[in-house]
Amino acid sequence: MYESFSIIFTLAAMLSYINYKWLKLPNTIGQLILALILAISVMCMEPILPNVYTYFCDIVLNTDFSHILLDVLLGFLLFAGALHVDIQELKKQKWTVLIFATIGVLISTFVVGVGLFFLAKMVGISLPFIHCLLFGALISPTDPIAVLALLKTANVNKSLQLKIEGESLFNDGIGVIVFTAILLFTGMEEIMDHGAQNIYLEIATLFAEEVLLGLVVGGALGYLGFKLMKSSDDDHFLPSIITLAVVFGGYSLTQMLHTSGPLAMVVAGLYIGDAIKKPSFNAITKDNLVGFWYILDESLNGVLFVFLGLAIHLISIESSSLLILASLSILLVLLARFISVVLPYSLLKHTENSWLNTTYILTWGGLKGGISLALAFSLEPDLSRNTILLLTYGTVIFSILVQGLTISKLVKKLN
């Protein structure tokens, strides 16, 4: 795995340089496009250079994308993203963020699940309803990594940016919980053996462990981490090392406690990010800390988006019907996103002149990314893994390339 990760990291740096010199696109999108071109080129060379193609396949397979994203990269990327969020401003959007990250995810999961079930029948593909709901759960959360990378370049006003940032940081943890809860229902025989009441109890326990305990652990990590940083802020580099320990040790701790590492890292990042903005914290140390996490964030983002591009050869299209279903699922996910935004948002008070324009931007800016793909990779083959993987990959690539490249134009037009 180390060799594969090293090669992909090197590729990310090279593709980032090529994008900087010639493509001039947002860095993550440029890296994704170049990685796709590279992967397709290598796939075309298979008949001529089979050894090169085999070596390429081994690199991608040995990286173990699902493990490296969910268990390694995700904690760093979420902490880095949360570190830069203004928590005082975020508090003003707390109800919007809370509703989108909970009710919004549930609405979208249901709409996508029901819609996919009927669309699959329409094109002649048999997909169990519970498998359709699994796809709905993994594709409904907006991806914080893709969204935060996008907002660095999109000209979005502060209020709207905080809505998108806050939702994306929290709803991936909720999405994983919904996904895990639906997995409990996939084994119908097990449900019959243990009784539906036990399943509901497991789901309630899962929520308490993942969400409530995750928030508590994250707050404790942030508090303890900042106390250590504050007592050593005259050393301009030690606090950066302490934050690394918060992520490394904290994420491992959440796995031992069987709680949500993503939620814990978001809370810890928000707490420390707010605390270091206070005048009493050493300004030079703060600048070093922010710069350190900015570089780490950019580097790991590059690795993730390059892998997304290279992973195209792991996707199999077994029939034209599947390709049609994948195209229709993109439209379905967008429709579900709009419904899951407009229904709860219409119930809230708004300061915007046209709140409907805001829902359009929230819909188009709700990017899908690596977390959805990692969850799809984690499925067992008997859970329609290949089909769900194709639908997920198509939706993610469309989301990043089409929505990501046009969101700025949409914002400009609607404003």
Side-chain angles (χ1 to χ4, degrees):
M1 182 185 290
Y2 174 77
E3 180 183 359
S4 298
F5 184 82
S6 301
I7 292 171
I8 291 179
F9 189 93
T10 304
L11 273 176
M14 293 171 59
L15 297 182
S16 182
Y17 180 79
I18 293 170
N19 177 64
Y20 170 77
K21 295 294 288 185
W22 292 288
L23 291 186
K24 310 293 185 182
L25 293 170
N27 194 42
T28 49
I29 294 178
Q31 287 174 309
L32 175 60
I33 291 173
L34 290 169
L36 280 169
I37 293 172
L38 175 62
I40 294 170
S41 301
V42 173
M43 289 165 67
C44 292
M45 290 192 300
E46 181 184 6
I48 306 170
L49 299 169
N51 291 335
V52 173
Y53 176 75
T54 302
Y55 182 69
F56 168 76
C57 292
D58 289 342
I59 289 174
V60 180
L61 288 171
N62 290 338
T63 305
D64 192 357
F65 175 67
S66 181
H67 166 69
I68 205 165
L69 173 60
L70 295 177
D71 297 334
V72 182
L73 295 184
L74 188 57
F76 289 94
L77 292 168
L78 288 176
F79 182 89
L83 194 69
H84 298 94
V85 174
D86 189 334
I87 192 172
Q88 302 305 323
E89 291 295 321
L90 183 61
K91 286 178 181 177
K92 299 176 183 178
Q93 309 293 340
K94 59 182 181 295
W95 293 115
T96 303
V97 169
L98 177 63
I99 289 174
F100 285 166
T102 53
I103 297 174
V105 170
L106 292 173
I107 292 173
S108 178
T109 298
F110 181 76
V111 172
V112 171
V114 172
L116 181 62
F117 181 72
F118 288 105
L119 285 176
K121 279 190 172 183
M122 189 176 72
V123 298
I125 296 175
S126 178
L127 266 182
F129 180 64
I130 196 73
H131 296 181
C132 295
L133 283 177
L134 278 175
F135 174 68
L138 67 85
I139 206 65
S140 290
T142 56
D143 187 276
I145 302 161
V147 168
L148 293 173
L150 163 73
L151 291 178
K152 293 174 184 176
T153 56
N155 186 25
V156 179
N157 69 61
K158 190 67 176 177
S159 173
L160 182 55
Q161 180 176 336
L162 284 167
K163 288 182 179 71
I164 300 173
E165 283 181 342
E167 177 200 6
S168 65
L169 285 169
F170 284 100
N171 72 0
D172 65 297
I174 302 299
V176 171
I177 292 166
V178 174
F179 176 82
T180 306
I182 294 173
L183 273 178
L184 294 175
F185 285 95
T186 56
M188 297 303 294
E189 292 181 1
E190 182 181 343
I191 293 176
M192 295 301 294
D193 291 340
H194 295 84
Q197 187 176 357
N198 288 339
I199 295 297
Y200 296 136
L201 180 61
E202 285 187 48
I203 293 174
T205 304
L206 176 68
F207 178 83
E209 288 181 348
E210 291 284 333
V211 177
L212 302 181
L213 183 58
L215 295 174
V216 171
V217 171
L221 288 170
Y223 177 80
L224 177 61
F226 179 71
K227 284 295 182 184
L228 294 174
M229 293 164 60
K230 186 68 178 69
S231 65
S232 59
D233 68 346
D234 55 332
D235 184 319
H236 300 323
F237 301 101
L238 181 56
S240 296
I241 299 173
I242 292 172
T243 55
L244 269 181
V246 167
V247 179
F248 267 122
Y251 211 83
S252 297
L253 176 63
T254 60
Q255 291 177 327
M256 291 169 58
L257 296 174
H258 303 290
T259 189
S260 174
L263 285 178
M265 291 303 102
V266 168
V267 173
L270 288 172
Y271 186 98
I272 291 176
D274 181 61
I276 63 174
K277 293 182 178 72
K278 295 176 181 177
S280 59
F281 194 77
N282 190 293
I284 298 175
T285 303
K286 183 192 77 172
D287 290 342
N288 287 342
L289 178 67
V290 171
F292 169 77
W293 277 100
Y294 179 82
I295 293 172
L296 191 60
D297 186 30
E298 286 291 306
S299 302
L300 297 182
N301 258 320
V303 171
L304 172 60
F305 279 81
V306 166
F307 188 91
L308 285 177
L310 298 181
I312 190 173
H313 89 282
L314 301 177
I315 312 301
S316 59
I317 303 174
E318 298 168 358
S319 67
S320 57
S321 297
L322 267 179
L323 198 56
I324 294 171
L325 184 61
S327 303
L328 292 174
S329 67
I330 294 172
L331 300 176
L332 174 62
V333 170
L334 282 172
L335 174 63
R337 170 66 178 171
F338 178 73
I339 294 172
S340 68
V341 168
V342 77
L343 285 183
Y345 199 59
S346 63
L347 303 175
L348 298 170
K349 293 181 179 179
H350 313 291
T351 57
E352 306 98 320
N353 293 328
S354 177
W355 67 268
L356 199 55
N357 282 354
T358 299
T359 62
Y360 294 150
I361 297 171
L362 285 168
T363 298
W364 200 248
L367 303 190
K368 316 303 177 183
I371 293 173
S372 296
L373 198 60
L375 292 175
F377 272 118
S378 71
L379 290 172
E380 296 296 329
D382 61 347
L383 296 176
S384 305
R385 181 179 187 269
N386 289 339
T387 300
I388 291 177
L389 197 53
L390 172 62
L391 304 184
T392 305
Y393 192 80
T395 304
V396 167
I397 296 301
F398 176 88
S399 170
I400 295 172
L401 295 187
V402 179
Q403 294 172 233
L405 286 173
T406 56
I407 184 66
S408 294
K409 294 178 182 178
L410 178 65
V411 171
K412 186 176 180 181
K413 182 177 180 179
L414 293 179
N415 286 340

